[in-house]
Amino acid sequence: MTEDLTRRPPGPEAPPQAGPDPYDNRRQVLYWRLLARLFDGEEQPALETASLGVVEDIGLPSALLDPGTSLDSVVQRHPELAAEFDGLMTPDDGADEARDRAAEVRRAALVSKVLLNVFTTGSGAVTAEQLARWQSDAGWLERALGCPPGGLRGGRAAGAGLDAGGLGPELAAIEGDLVGRMRLREVLADPALAARLTPSMSLIEQLLRDKGNLSGVALANAKSLIRRYVDEVAEVLRTQVEKATVGELDRSVPPKRVFRNLDLNRTIWKNLTNWSPEEEERLYVDRLYYRHTVRRTTPQRLIVVVDQSGSMVDSMVNCTILASIFAGLPKVDVHLIAYDTRSIDLTPWVHDPFDVLLRTNLGGGNDGPVAMAMARPKIAEPKNTVMVWISDFYEFDRSQPLFEGIEAVHRAGVKFIPVGSVTSSGRQEVNPWFRERFKALGTPVVSGHIDKLVHELKTFLT
């Protein structure tokens, strides 16, 4: 009798073998397509077909796989998806056992769409419409990372204080490349095309560098874009400055005994024991109480020195706007100096950052001692003077003379604040030689976030 080799031998049944997780498979398909698209522009038919099947099976629109469809278009057609993009890529603190695998597949599809739209920009010339679309898609990526549109690129949300792991400078670099590939002069010469442009740091930098080559309609449109950007950023920074400069009560100083400071409610409350209903309901006041007024101590002079060399363009723009806001505060005398290999006193125009920016010539090298020679005569009362110096401090053979000048100013009593840069992304590269000496001097370099500088100045504005 022949033994049947396919028959299971007697004994306990073996546990069934677990098959592949269908959710993991779907998610891997989407992410493999993402990687293939990021590193190779050619379509992979098998991955495209499989991804389309996954997207349709989980109830998402096939437009998520169309590289030519902007995120704005997807959301306009499917408004229920807008809420899913907000915070889409922020860390999830949920426990592993509580994972929703179906939701992870859905998230992979949405994340892939955002990343591909932002990081696959192609090559060749760029139109104003393409730039505007990319800026919008980048705004959706910023929303997915938990910050407002423009918050990572140094745009209208400057000072957001977010860097998303250093992604901000990378987005700014991509945007700068797109602006560089755009025939900007042709776009500016056409009012309809220029109207499609959204002001951003990369665009403003290019406009400021090219303003000498523009004329007529193109120059007027360039100025309009610069003005829009200045006004939008100024509105954000003005709010920060106003919050930082609210005075505090100083109760060591007796309140002024004048009628406008009379605290009527407190006076009545404290004298209620003197109420006499028998004498025609009279209240006899033994003591008047007055409100303490806010005492605000401000530096009589704020000197802002900003490096306008090629590596500090975004700092020049933001710092010019910030200086104009401080110049609008009471009792603050603001002086603004910009320098590269030469220095220029921009104080007469400090109230109008737009006018200041049109007078600057961005780029070139830097010569800090020349700027210090212009700044030092402006110090009238060292104890009531703040000097903010924004630079990467790469002075090479001029390093020692500049530091000696800074040290002398600091020893004289001036509050010296070195700032590596003034951007919303906070990316900065400061000469280590200066960084160590500033630390030893007791004036460490302030982080490059513009809101950090506002906070640092708060001490001297309250």
Side-chain angles (χ1 to χ4, degrees), residues 241-257:
V241 172
E242 288 173 352
K243 290 180 180 178
T245 57
V246 175
E248 297 179 355
L249 294 180
D250 184 354
R251 299 193 181 277
S252 65
V253 179
K256 291 183 180 180
R257 296 178 178 274

Side-chain angles (χ1 to χ4, degrees), residues 125-132 181-183 187 193 196-197:
V126 174
T127 67
E129 185 176 358
Q130 288 172 324
L131 176 63
R181 287 157 49 193
M182 185 171 60
R183 294 185 177 91
V187 171
L193 292 177
R196 296 180 182 179
L197 295 176

